[in-house]
């Protein structure tokens, strides 16, 4: 039977060992949690849910929950580079972390699904602002809850 190792374990076992990033092994998981009172926001409106620092890596267990079914409205999770002055204003990549999906069941969490970007270090000089973009149709009134988990050290 063959044994295989992840890139990180192979680095630890190599001679000399390859130093590992703390976020890969032994890093602390941090949370960016938020609540937003949804109204009938039109398609293409955005909601900023927080900022992640440079070097942070968003984890796949991050999810979005809406307390009411959203009909045909979609919600996508994306980001924009943070500005040097701390203000919002970068160009938003609407579905960088979570593709535009419908939320047809109330209170059913949907996990972020853009696996090519999850776990990848944020390289923007001042970090990233994380956004929800409403698409297709207006949102339905309810509460939007975000539970984003990331490592940064």
């Amino acid at each position: 039977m063959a044994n295989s190792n992840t890139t990180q374990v192979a680095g630890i076992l190599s001679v000399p060992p390859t130093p590992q990033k703390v976020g890969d092994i032994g890093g602390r998981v941090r949370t960016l949690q938020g609540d937003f009172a949804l109204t009938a926001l039109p398609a293409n409106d955005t909601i900023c849910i927080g900022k992640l620092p440079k070097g942070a890596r968003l984890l796949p267990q991050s999810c979005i929950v809406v307390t009411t079914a959203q009909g045909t409205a979609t919600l996508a999770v994306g980001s924009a580079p943070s500005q040097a002055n701390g203000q919002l204003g970068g160009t938003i990549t609407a579905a960088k972390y979570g593709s535009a999906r419908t939320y047809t069941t109330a209170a059913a969490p949907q996990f972020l699904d853009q696996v090519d970007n999850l776990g990848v270090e944020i390289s923007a000089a001042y970090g990233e602002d994380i956004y929800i973009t409403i698409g297709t149709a207006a949102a339905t009134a309810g509460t939007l809850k975000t539970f984003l988990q990331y490592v940064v050290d």
Side-chain angles (χ1 to χ4, degrees), residues 11 17-21:
T18 304
Q20 300 299 302
K21 294 181 179 182

Side-chain angles (χ1 to χ4, degrees), residues 14-35:
S14 67
V15 178
T18 304
Q20 300 299 302
K21 294 181 179 182
V22 175
D24 284 343
I25 297 175
R28 286 180 280 173
V29 175
R30 297 168 189 225
T31 301
L32 175 62
Q33 190 272 329
D35 296 328

Side-chain angles (χ1 to χ4, degrees), residues 59-118:
L59 300 174
Q61 63 264 34
S62 299
C63 69
I64 306 299
V65 178
V66 185
T67 60
T68 52
Q70 292 297 301
T72 60
T74 60
L75 302 176
V77 181
S79 69
S82 295
Q83 304 299 299
N85 60 6
Q87 299 296 310
L88 304 177
T91 301
I92 298 171
T93 303
K96 181 175 181 179
Y97 297 114
S99 60
R101 293 181 283 174
T102 56
Y103 286 69
T104 55
T105 303
Q110 291 211 32
F111 295 90
L112 303 185
D113 65 347
Q114 296 298 322
V115 295
D116 289 344
N117 296 321
L118 295 171

